[in-house]
Amino acid sequence: QAPLEESGGGSVQPGGSLRLSCAAPGFIIDAYGIGWFRQAPGKEREAVACISARGGVATYADPVKDRFTISKDHAQNTVYLQMTSLTPEDTAVYYCSTDPQGDCTISPGILKPPWNFGPWGQGTQVTVSS
């Protein structure tokens, strides 16, 4: 399976918005759970949001709840991450990847850690600064 392809990153001021895209080459997005992750300099990769294979159930990490929205576009075979009210703490390289089991969570509302996902692409840089 080829890695997913992230795009849409950039530089934005605090309070701004960005929409990241995650394209799936060669497979249908409903075949897997698809998650977004981020890694800031000097920090471990962390899960941000995930959308399940069946039912499209979205789960979010606490720091991004009510600010980020994950969604599927079946016509484009793409998963989006709409990010609003961005803060400098959101600065990181953002990645998307697949959960072969499809459910995204280890229990309701609790995202699986990154090692449950793969493969990994190059990511897209998001920088929030004034």
Side-chain angles (χ1 to χ4, degrees):
Q1 177 186 324
L4 300 174
E5 299 171 352
E6 307 95 344
S7 63
S11 295
V12 64
Q13 292 186 339
S17 300
L18 279 174
R19 188 180 75 162
L20 305 183
S21 299
C22 174
F27 65 91
I28 303 300
I29 55 175
D30 282 346
Y32 301 93
I34 296 181
W36 280 99
F37 303 81
R38 66 188 181 185
Q39 187 165 16
K43 294 187 177 181
E44 294 186 353
R45 190 169 300 184
E46 63 177 356
V48 173
C50 192
I51 190 162
S52 66
R54 288 176 293 277
V57 178
T59 304
Y60 301 92
D62 285 345
V64 307
K65 281 180 180 176
D66 299 324
R67 297 191 300 124
F68 291 9
T69 302
I70 189 171
S71 62
K72 293 183 183 181
D73 183 331
H74 293 95
Q76 299 297 322
N77 204 42
T78 297
V79 173
Y80 297 106
L81 184 69
Q82 178 69 49
M83 306 186 296
T84 64
S85 301
L86 287 163
T87 74
E89 288 69 37
D90 296 314
T91 296
V93 178
Y94 283 71
Y95 304 86
C96 59
S97 191
T98 56
D99 170 18
Q101 293 185 323
D103 55 358
C104 290
T105 59
I106 55 176
S107 62
I110 306 299
L111 290 166
K112 289 180 178 177
W115 55 263
N116 289 275
F117 294 75
W120 298 95
Q122 297 299 310
T124 186
Q125 176 70 47
V126 171
T127 302
V128 185
S129 70
S130 54

